[in-house]
Amino acid sequence: MTASISSTQPQTLKRAVLGARRLSNIFWATVLTFGGLGFALAGASSYLKTNLLPFADPTQLVFIPQGVAMSFYGVAALGLATFLWVIIGLDVGGGYNQFDKASNRLKIVRKGFWGENRQIEIEHPLEDATAVRVAIKEGLNPRRTLYLRIKGRPDIPLTRVGQPIPLSDLENQGAELARFLQVPLEGL
């Protein structure tokens, strides 16, 4: 007769990390696309002396300097919008953090840009994790980030970039991970 040992604690902890496919990025990419298109068409209308916009008459603008400035702003906005749509499509920064006691491995995976190294993976034994660190910076550009301390490596960020996580969620995630890994929680 064999006895099996059951544990109430899960053997794997996996958390998804939100990348560039956020509502705020989609909003700004859309605003930049329509705004840039409007400015570019206004500049082209002033050059061609043909109204290309249904809601305004930019043919009255003098091409130099007003039409050139409008065209420049339009091209700049469309370039930035294109960049945003590309990173949204590739979901740059998205991925997951996985901590597996059964295989004794931790794995951090993020999506990057094009190329053969599009997916960034960091893998270590669980015993290399020394602490979970919470970094909080308030003010005009607040940041709230969880970091994993690993022997011989710089701290690895575990949370999404951009919009700060609510403080209570950050504390709960940090405490849960520190408890799971049986390491100290620093920074609170």
Side-chain angles (χ1 to χ4, degrees), residues 9 13 99 101 104 106 125-134 146-151 158 173-187:
Q9 187 176 9
L13 180 64
F99 306 92
K101 287 185 177 179
N104 196 32
L106 66 89
L126 280 179
E127 59 265 1
D128 283 359
T130 59
V132 174
R133 184 172 67 91
V134 177
L146 273 181
Y147 291 94
L148 181 64
R149 288 218 164 131
I150 295 179
K151 293 177 195 171
L158 299 176
Q173 288 178 19
E176 179 186 20
L177 181 58
R179 204 173 20 256
F180 183 82
L181 296 174
Q182 297 174 349
V183 296
L185 179 63
E186 300 175 349

Side-chain angles (χ1 to χ4, degrees), residues 49-127:
K49 297 296 181 201
T50 304
N51 190 4
L52 300 174
L53 290 173
F55 52 85
D57 187 17
T59 58
Q60 304 302 318
L61 296 174
V62 180
F63 182 68
I64 296 180
Q66 294 166 326
V68 171
M70 298 287 265
S71 298
F72 172 76
Y73 291 139
V75 169
L78 287 172
L80 188 56
T82 301
F83 171 74
L84 277 173
W85 286 118
V86 167
I87 68 166
I88 290 167
L90 295 174
D91 195 24
V92 173
Y96 63 90
N97 306 320
Q98 181 176 330
F99 306 92
D100 190 0
K101 287 185 177 179
S103 67
N104 196 32
R105 304 296 290 171
L106 66 89
K107 189 174 186 179
I108 313 292
V109 177
R110 299 289 185 275
K111 294 177 186 169
F113 284 102
W114 294 285
E116 57 189 58
N117 295 329
R118 177 157 148 55
Q119 187 159 306
I120 301 160
E121 293 184 21
I122 299 172
E123 202 168 329
H124 281 282
L126 280 179
E127 59 265 1

